[in-house]
Amino acid sequence: MNQRIMLALGVAVIVSALFIAKLPAHSQNTAKPNTNSQNQTDSKPQESPAPSLPPMAETPKTGSMAPDFTLTDMKGKRVQLSSFKGKAVVVDFWATWCEPCKIEMPWLVDLQKKYGPQGLQVLGVAMDDADDQAIQEFARKMGVNYPVLRGTEAVADLYGGLDGLPATFFLDRSGKISDKAMGLESQSVIEDSIKHALGQKQEDPAAGEK
Amino acid sequence: MNSRRLVCIAVTAVLLSTVFCAAQERIPSQGRTFVNFVSASSVVVSPGKSAPVQFTFRVQNPYHINSSKPLTEELIPTQIHFSLPGEVALGRIEYPAGKLMAFPFDPSTKLSVYSGDVVIRGVVVAPLAASTGTYTIHGELKYQACDNNACYPPKKLPFTFNVTVGSARRSSHKSRG
């Protein structure tokens, strides 16, 4: 009988190990073991990242439905991503402390003006500890002409943890992710991604999954 | 032992090993290393006196962090904080000047940043009534790192260093070597 128990346990452990092995690997840790015993590295157990959680989920893949969310804008209005279905949407995660984000924002302002009449909607999601007033003031200084929403850790997790900013997701009119940019891309690359999301650009069959 | 009990044991084992494996999986995945604490100078100070201390941190390539005085108010300055026992205090902290650097995301704008080794200096003060002994001081470096095209959420790097409060004779003896 004990043999049967051991057998059941063994099978269970192997099955779960196989299951875990199939899970996506999230490791972005490039830290190498510190061979100097006097050194103390900032290994993650000692760190308290803020405001977003460490990446626990994989970044949504191009071609998949964008994870839906409901966030609050700077006027306190609840905004649901899926309510924009039928439009091409750019979801731009940014923060006031992110210099590359400040480069990208005026481009998004111009692109919103240019492609808004064709069905583009840019949504800025502030991943920031700053208060609403500071975010609003920052957005005003940047001339932002699109809704700015207050991001949450839960939404960050839905989008892969948002380890670095800016993180920009381009959604086609059906709500699928047609492209994404992790970190700053050039204005022309962003514009191409918007055209693609609007259905104005043929998909390059040679382009692989990002 | 009936088959229902066996199934029960198997399900429990699956759950336990899944939780264990998931925990193991997450440990190395929680982020990248931007800054290491390299060292703190050893400090021996007599009651009623002060002694210098310096802390060395290393900003990993290819990252940079804001200096203690970034050039715009939105940027998060690098700061060091301590939890101090009553026996010692820390005087003025001196941060190095930031390097003015422009980055590919905006070659026209210079930012005040640290990269490579960063040495922060301070002064440890022992009150006259301080009891002799060795005290472990807990510190924390708060910083926010970027690379050439992205920025990463603010982080806190904890570190510790020891301060020995000794008599003047003991202190000078130690300082001679």
Side-chain angles (χ1 to χ4, degrees):
Chain A
M1 196 59 72
N2 281 346
Q3 277 181 337
R4 287 180 68 186
I5 293 171
M6 293 307 290
L7 187 64
L9 283 171
V11 169
V13 168
I14 289 168
V15 166
S16 54
L18 287 172
F19 173 73
I20 293 299
K22 294 279 278 181
L23 286 178
H26 306 309
S27 180
Q28 294 181 31
N29 193 347
T30 54
K32 292 181 177 143
N34 192 340
T35 51
N36 184 347
S37 60
Q38 289 185 325
N39 287 9
Q40 181 183 352
T41 62
D42 62 347
S43 57
K44 287 302 293 188
Q46 296 181 320
E47 298 215 348
S48 312
S52 64
L53 287 173
M56 293 293 183
E58 206 169 336
T59 307
K61 285 187 163 49
T62 305
S64 65
M65 285 301 290
D68 197 14
F69 58 73
T70 302
L71 292 172
T72 307
D73 72 10
M74 294 296 117
K75 292 171 185 161
K77 185 183 156 199
R78 308 270 292 162
V79 176
Q80 186 171 11
L81 177 63
S82 56
S83 69
F84 293 98
K85 209 167 271 184
K87 290 191 166 199
V89 179
V90 174
V91 182
D92 180 49
F93 293 94
W94 64 279
T96 54
W97 41 259
C98 166
E99 282 294 305
C101 303
K102 285 164 69 175
I103 304 301
E104 189 186 58
M105 289 170 85
W107 300 344
L108 294 175
V109 168
D110 289 346
L111 293 164
Q112 175 65 66
K113 274 185 206 157
K114 186 172 177 182
Y115 293 101
Q118 295 166 47
L120 175 71
Q121 181 60 62
V122 178
L123 295 176
V125 182
M127 302 304 299
D128 224 299
D129 274 344
D131 58 33
D132 282 358
Q133 197 180 343
I135 293 171
Q136 235 174 330
E137 176 59 19
F138 183 88
R140 192 193 60 76
K141 273 200 292 188
M142 299 300 295
V144 166
N145 57 354
Y146 48 83
V148 173
L149 315 177
R150 163 74 78 173
T152 62
E153 290 177 356
V155 170
D157 265 0
L158 288 175
Y159 283 80
L162 302 175
D163 186 34
L165 299 176
T168 312
F169 293 83
F170 302 87
L171 281 51
D172 67 17
R173 294 177 192 271
S174 70
K176 281 185 184 163
I177 297 171
S178 57
D179 227 333
K180 60 192 174 188
M182 311 312 284
L184 183 66
E185 292 283 3
S186 69
Q187 188 171 3
S188 61
V189 167
I190 291 172
E191 185 163 4
D192 282 350
S193 295
I194 286 173
K195 286 181 185 170
H196 185 193
L198 285 164
Q200 294 181 3
K201 192 182 175 193
Q202 288 296 313
E203 196 167 348
D204 180 3
E209 167 67 21
K210 279 190 185 179
Chain B
M1 173 82 52
N2 58 29
S3 59
R4 189 178 292 177
R5 286 186 67 184
L6 273 177
V7 168
C8 235
I9 289 168
V11 168
T12 307
V14 166
L15 286 174
L16 285 175
S17 52
T18 301
V19 167
F20 175 75
C21 291
Q24 293 294 305
E25 177 73 15
R26 285 182 180 195
I27 287 168
S29 71
Q30 289 179 345
R32 42 188 118 194
T33 298
F34 302 107
V35 182
N36 289 353
F37 174 57
V38 177
S39 63
S41 56
S42 61
V43 182
V44 180
V45 60
S46 304
K49 304 277 185 186
S50 63
V53 60
Q54 68 175 43
F55 310 97
T56 304
F57 300 91
R58 185 162 299 145
V59 181
Q60 297 296 321
N61 196 28
Y63 305 109
H64 60 269
I65 62 176
N66 295 316
S67 76
S68 65
K69 291 179 181 166
L71 301 182
T72 62
E73 62 180 349
E74 295 92 9
L75 298 182
I76 295 170
T78 294
Q79 291 176 332
I80 200 168
H81 297 287
F82 299 94
S83 301
L84 294 165
E87 307 300 333
V88 292
L90 267 155
R92 182 189 164 93
I93 300 292
E94 283 182 24
Y95 295 90
K99 290 178 219 162
L100 292 179
M101 293 176 73
F103 294 92
F105 51 78
D106 185 8
S108 65
T109 303
K110 287 191 173 177
L111 303 175
S112 175
V113 301
Y114 298 142
S115 57
D117 281 4
V118 181
V119 178
I120 298 173
R121 293 183 166 79
V123 175
V124 175
V125 181
L128 209 51
S131 305
T132 58
T134 298
Y135 301 93
T136 298
I137 314 291
H138 294 266
E140 194 173 73
L141 183 80
K142 187 182 174 195
Y143 67 89
Q144 189 265 306
C146 297
D147 58 26
N148 281 346
N149 73 337
C151 288
Y152 304 89
K155 293 204 169 199
K156 292 171 181 171
L157 169 61
F159 62 93
T160 59
F161 71 104
N162 289 335
V163 173
T164 300
V165 177
S167 67
R169 180 181 293 174
R170 185 181 166 197
S171 166
S172 65
H173 174 74
K174 283 202 168 183
S175 67
R176 280 200 298 268

